[in-house]
Amino acid sequence: MIRHQVRLASAIVGPPLPPGDAPHADRVFRYGIEHESALLRADGRFVDPTNTSFAELQAVVDALPEDPSDLTELRLGDQGIKRKRWYVEGYERFDERGRLVRCDPKGIEIRTRIHRSVEDTVAALRADQAALAAAARRHDLHPVAIGFNPVRSPYVVDPPLNAWERRHRLGSPEERTAHLHMSTFGPDLSLSWNAPDPAELVDVGRKLTAYSPYLVPLSFSSPFEAGAPWGGLSARTRLRTGPRPAVLVFLPAGAAQVPSDPSLTQPARLAAEVGRVEFKAFDPCPDPSWYGDLLALLTGLVLDRTLPARRTTPDAALHRRSARAGLDDPTIRAGTCRVLDAAIAALAGRPGHLARLEALYRRVERRECPAATMIERYRGGETIAEVLRAP
């Protein structure tokens, strides 16, 4: 492997760290993946609220099995929609008394349970994706991996929010910007470990937030907007990261929250969420094994004690720069190599994770991401629907 020793741009340089402990190699990590799946109709139309009802997608979910024991680790949600590992993702609308009126659908989300290894987490997602694909086919639908609605954006809140909705939608930075997620798709990659100190959790969240612009190009898969290439690699990152968080940290009850906009911390809603660090800024990946590689990278960055930069909120301008050129930008590529080097050093003695980081390094050397392949095939004459249907 070619090791890259690089110097990061001043955008993420922070004060030197005080002397610290060696990497915590004894930690036992737990992992989970939430994957938002977009869908195509048999005629090639991209599923969104203009052509698909909540009931149509719920019929797909209804055909999938329910395991009540999932709910010890997965949230049911306020409206009871999230009863399974699969559920219809959308934007909920309420009347003036707070009663659910409808949910505009954007796709179907898959949530794994919590697993002790990256391999088990990836295997669980792969099995649940296969089950979703089989159920969707019976309704002439096809799950696809793309980070941004390639045909229509933005989502329009119609009719405008009523008084009850305004009170509840303006209560937090995430609620206030919830409409943005209707045009975007992506994974939440989570890891937690040994009930760590809340201050340490916050520090990890701030580190991952600082280095997020250098992590996300490894996943870029949203090169289309309004029916054509938009000129970059991740319309999702360009729109989303900055107004919405790159990382969320779930703290135990009673722990002091970090005031920020967008949020960096939230109170854990389930016992299983305590100590969870959730990275939210990646685009969807075409193969679950890619998520395994990215989880290995996040693990290395948690263990790392050398990277100095910290941010409470994402650098929106640097994310937009990354979204346009990705690894073709020398500053972005240098930052990506820097974090990979740090993660590799921190993962000494963990050969499974190191093999996954080798795979990431090869992609960096080739400047490879799904969006680049999608653009190449589109320019070769394929329609967007044909590009998305292919493996």
Side-chain angles (χ1 to χ4, degrees):
M1 180 186 71
I2 301 173
R3 295 295 299 279
H4 298 256
Q5 299 300 328
V6 297
R7 189 173 180 181
L8 281 177
S10 60
I12 65 165
V13 169
L17 288 177
D21 297 332
H24 303 287
D26 59 335
R27 288 185 175 172
V28 177
F29 289 91
R30 300 181 299 278
Y31 301 96
I33 300 173
E34 300 176 21
H35 170 82
E36 293 177 332
S37 182
L39 296 154
L40 283 182
R41 290 188 171 275
D43 61 8
R45 285 180 297 157
F46 192 85
V47 164
D48 63 30
T50 68
N51 58 36
T52 305
S53 69
F54 178 89
E56 287 179 89
L57 298 192
Q58 185 60 43
V60 176
V61 173
D62 287 343
L64 292 161
E66 180 174 341
D67 183 347
S69 63
D70 286 343
L71 298 181
T72 62
E73 299 181 0
L74 305 176
R75 287 185 64 241
L76 176 61
D78 296 336
Q79 305 305 319
I81 292 171
K82 305 176 182 181
R83 298 197 61 82
K84 302 181 180 182
R85 292 193 296 277
W86 310 263
Y87 70 91
V88 180
E89 178 75 21
Y91 192 88
E92 296 166 347
R93 300 303 310 270
F94 300 87
D95 67 15
E96 292 279 2
R97 298 177 63 183
R99 295 173 299 195
L100 182 67
V101 174
R102 73 174 201 262
C103 180
D104 292 345
K106 74 166 187 176
I108 294 177
E109 178 160 319
I110 305 170
R111 306 173 292 171
T112 72
R113 296 173 73 164
I114 299 167
H115 295 275
R116 290 281 181 171
S117 73
V118 168
E119 289 70 28
D120 287 347
T121 312
V122 169
L125 178 61
R126 193 183 299 280
D128 287 346
Q129 282 185 317
L132 172 61
R137 276 196 301 272
R138 294 193 287 273
H139 294 265
D140 293 325
L141 296 169
H142 182 78
V144 295
I146 189 169
F148 195 77
N149 187 323
V151 181
R152 293 183 185 87
S153 62
Y155 168 75
V156 177
V157 179
D158 184 29
L161 299 178
N162 61 40
W164 188 93
E165 290 176 311
R166 285 196 301 274
R167 286 195 301 272
H168 288 78
R169 288 291 186 189
L170 302 180
S172 72
E174 283 61 62
E175 285 290 343
R176 191 173 64 249
T177 58
H179 62 285
L180 295 179
H181 90 95
M182 288 296 290
S183 299
T184 68
F185 302 82
D188 292 343
L189 303 187
S190 65
L191 67 165
S192 55
W193 66 96
N194 304 17
D197 178 3
E200 183 184 2
L201 283 169
V202 170
D203 186 66
V204 167
R206 294 186 68 235
K207 180 203 287 190
L208 294 179
T209 297
Y211 290 97
S212 174
Y214 308 97
L215 301 175
V216 292
L218 296 164
S219 68
F220 283 163
S221 64
S222 44
F224 303 118
E225 183 177 7
W230 66 272
L233 299 171
S234 180
R236 178 185 192 269
T237 299
R238 188 199 68 215
L239 173 73
R240 179 195 180 284
T241 307
R244 291 180 70 78
V247 180
L248 274 180
V249 175
F250 292 88
L251 300 179
Q257 301 295 313
V258 175
S260 64
D261 188 350
S263 299
L264 176 68
T265 63
Q266 283 190 357
R269 299 156 294 186
L270 295 171
E273 282 187 338
V274 175
R276 176 179 298 178
V277 175
E278 194 170 82
F279 193 88
K280 307 177 73 68
F282 288 126
D283 278 17
C285 292
D287 188 304
S289 65
W290 287 42
Y291 291 147
D293 299 344
L294 297 173
L295 281 170
L297 174 57
L298 295 176
T299 302
L301 295 179
V302 170
L303 294 172
D304 163 73
R305 299 283 289 173
T306 66
L307 293 170
R310 301 292 188 271
R311 287 186 64 96
T312 300
T313 59
D315 186 330
L318 195 56
H319 276 89
R320 288 194 293 269
R321 176 175 174 173
S322 182
R324 181 164 292 277
L327 297 169
D328 284 332
D329 184 309
T331 297
I332 299 300
R333 187 170 65 256
T336 304
C337 292
R338 171 77 180 274
V339 296
L340 279 167
D341 282 340
I344 287 169
L347 287 169
R350 296 179 185 237
H353 286 332
L354 289 173
R356 291 185 176 278
L357 266 60
E358 293 276 1
L360 289 176
Y361 238 128
R362 288 192 292 272
R363 285 183 216 144
V364 173
E365 289 167 348
R366 296 191 298 264
R367 303 183 191 182
E368 176 187 342
C369 69
T373 302
M374 297 163 91
I375 292 170
E376 181 180 358
R377 293 179 52 211
Y378 178 84
R379 289 174 176 165
E382 296 183 39
T383 65
I384 291 176
E386 289 169 335
V387 168
L388 294 182
R389 276 203 185 97

